[in-house]
Amino acid sequence: MSNVPAELKYVDTHEWLRVEADGTVTIGITDHAQELLGDVVYVELPEVGANYAAGDTAGVVESVKAASDIYAPIAGEVVAINEELPNAPESANSDPYGEAWFFRVKPANPADLDGLLDAAGYAALIGA
C-alpha cells in the first residue's frame, strides 16, 4: 500500500508538493508513482530559473519499465533542483518524500495551492 503523508499536497499526475517556511514549494513524485514505475534509473530535472505554467513538462523520470514526464503542478519559477538526484536516481524508490525531492519553485500565485488534492483526496484517487 502506498504511503500518502498527510502534510503534503498532491496532483493527479502523481507529484507531491510541500510548502516550505520561505514560501517556496518542493516537488517530487509520490510513493504510488515510484511503485508504478519500478526501479528508477534516470532523472532529468529542470533548470534553475526556468518558468513553468501548471501542467508543463518540467522533467523526465525513467525506470526499467517506462519513461514518464514530470509535470509542474503549479505555475512558478524553479529556484532549486536536487543536484544529488541524477547521481542516485534509485533514491526515488527508497525515499520519495525525503532525499528524492526533484525541484523547488517560487509559486507565481500561492493561491494555486488551494486547488490541489489533500492526502485524503489523493488516497481516494489511487485507491489507497
Side-chain angles (χ1 to χ4, degrees), residues 3-20 24-34 70-74 82 85 91-105 113 116-119 122:
N3 179 16
V4 183
E7 69 277 14
L8 302 178
K9 294 284 194 172
Y10 301 88
V11 291
D12 60 1
T13 52
H14 308 294
E15 287 86 12
W16 58 260
L17 302 90
R18 180 180 57 233
V19 179
E20 304 296 341
T24 60
V25 177
T26 301
I27 297 165
I29 64 169
T30 66
D31 188 42
H32 179 73
Q34 70 81 22
I70 302 300
Y71 299 101
I74 58 172
N82 183 348
L85 190 56
S91 64
N93 296 113
S94 61
D95 194 10
Y97 299 114
E99 283 182 34
W101 62 277
F102 279 54
F103 57 99
R104 190 167 292 143
V105 300
L113 293 162
L116 302 179
L117 296 168
D118 61 11
Y122 184 69

Side-chain angles (χ1 to χ4, degrees), residues 4-92:
V4 183
E7 69 277 14
L8 302 178
K9 294 284 194 172
Y10 301 88
V11 291
D12 60 1
T13 52
H14 308 294
E15 287 86 12
W16 58 260
L17 302 90
R18 180 180 57 233
V19 179
E20 304 296 341
D22 64 0
T24 60
V25 177
T26 301
I27 297 165
I29 64 169
T30 66
D31 188 42
H32 179 73
Q34 70 81 22
E35 286 176 356
L36 292 175
L37 286 165
D39 294 337
V40 174
V41 295
Y42 175 78
V43 174
E44 180 182 305
L45 299 173
E47 291 187 21
V48 172
N51 282 284
Y52 293 101
D56 284 353
T57 300
V60 174
V61 60
E62 292 183 15
S63 72
V64 295
K65 290 182 180 177
S68 181
D69 289 335
I70 302 300
Y71 299 101
I74 58 172
E77 177 185 357
V78 176
V79 294
I81 60 171
N82 183 348
E83 295 182 9
E84 300 300 319
L85 190 56
N87 299 322
E90 67 279 2
S91 64

